[in-house]
Amino acid sequence: MRKTGENSRVSSQHNRGLILKLIATGQCHSRIELAKETELTKMTITNIVSEFRSNGIVVEAEERPNDVRGRNPITVEISQGAPKIIGVLLNTTYCEAVLCDLGLQILKRQKVTFDQGLTESKLVEEICALIDEMLQDEKDIFGIGVASMGPMNINTGKILNPPDFYGIQNVQLADQLRDRYQYPVFMDCDSNSAALAEALYGAGRKEHDFVYLGIGDRIGSGVITQGDLFRNSKGYAPEVGHVCIRPHGTTCTCGNQGCLQSYAGIKTVLDKLKKATGEDLSFHEFCERCSDEKVDTILTEMMDDLFIALVSSINILHPESIVLGDEGVHLPDKYLEYLENQINTHKFVQGQTNITVKHAGFLKDAQLVGAACNVILQVFKGSLSFQVK
């Protein structure tokens, strides 16, 4: 997104979206700050904020302390009565829905676990039941956002052929939801959605370029470049999890050999940890016991596998940071520091800036709130109406 406003009638929607973004994400708290950040005139800021107030989108609240003489600026905040957003996260084993406000605060959430023998019609039925539950509390919403496991076609909102998903393939989910509901529907893959949430509100908010890596049984990725989510014309998401790190290695669920996911995916790592220790613990619990030499060795090997794939991506993308999400948020800091050192030692461009490795700001909820961000992004672009119905 463009970072400054434009003083022209043609760009009025862009200006409105930008101002709403700065308020909702907490980057600006007053008209003065908004004018400074956007480089718009004070009159333009006043007119847009006044329009938002009359439409119930924002409110002006208590004064903020001011060290200089004169009247303290009035804060501008998102109104509690502003339209909300529904987000739906679709995984291979469950579906979860969330109702959020424009500040990405979770107001309500509900989850359903799939039964064996799931069919396409039952899948859509389960998703709609969750959406209906969200709509019981709030019918004034901007839209419905969906974050789905891949592979999927982002352009068409079509789930293609996810491995181990009850044989369900080629589901035109976005269109089915549009047919059922009166609200706009925006759909993306889960890791793209998580990257978007981290870029707008989370760990990547102050950065222009980063790679989000969701480490679960699947390893998904999303790329933020020059402040925007990377998308190509074909509608497919980046797949760092399927970068080959061992030619002729283990066969992956995708059918290829040596993919990162086959070595650093949580299921594989857990199998190694359980076999080495003889204990049946969760990944989180093993991470808490990283002082155990056997656990430490396996987690360090996991970092080595991640670094091989990430260095290849870094040499192409040159990000400022790597953001680890999903089960990756449980990794203790020493492994992030190890991974960071390996990356910076082996990346091509040396002697300039170091790439940081950090946990997702939304931790394991990044994909879930990211689903809502698929709608919020369109609001911030000025593509959706700001009026309260």
Side-chain angles (χ1 to χ4, degrees), residues 22-84:
L22 294 171
I23 296 171
T25 59
Q27 296 177 65
C28 292
H29 300 90
S30 69
R31 298 185 187 190
I32 293 173
E33 291 177 358
L34 287 167
K36 182 178 179 180
E37 182 70 20
T38 62
E39 300 177 9
L40 291 168
T41 65
K42 292 181 181 179
M43 181 59 70
T44 299
I45 296 294
T46 295
N47 289 340
I48 292 175
V49 170
S50 296
E51 177 188 316
F52 284 168
R53 287 182 62 197
S54 65
N55 286 327
I57 304 295
V58 304
V59 293
E60 290 188 308
E62 74 277 1
E63 297 179 347
R64 291 167 57 85
N66 194 340
D67 293 333
V68 298
R69 291 185 177 183
R71 183 179 178 183
N72 292 335
I74 305 297
T75 61
V76 182
E77 300 175 354
I78 298 296
S79 169
Q80 292 184 359
K84 306 303 188 291

Side-chain angles (χ1 to χ4, degrees), residues 147-216:
S148 172
M149 75 288 185
M152 64 164 292
N153 187 310
I154 297 164
N155 294 338
T156 62
K158 183 178 184 179
I159 301 170
L160 300 177
N161 54 344
D164 304 320
F165 191 47
Y166 312 97
I168 298 174
Q169 298 183 1
N170 301 317
V171 183
Q172 198 69 58
L173 181 60
D175 283 348
Q176 292 191 57
L177 295 180
R178 291 186 187 108
D179 289 342
R180 173 153 177 164
Y181 298 100
Q182 60 180 329
Y183 306 106
V185 176
F186 300 95
M187 187 169 171
D188 207 331
C189 76
D190 48 13
S191 293
N192 269 1
S193 303
L196 186 57
E198 295 296 327
L200 293 174
Y201 298 89
R205 197 172 99 177
K206 297 182 179 180
E207 298 174 351
H208 296 290
D209 305 274
F210 68 87
V211 175
Y212 170 87
L213 199 68
I215 306 175

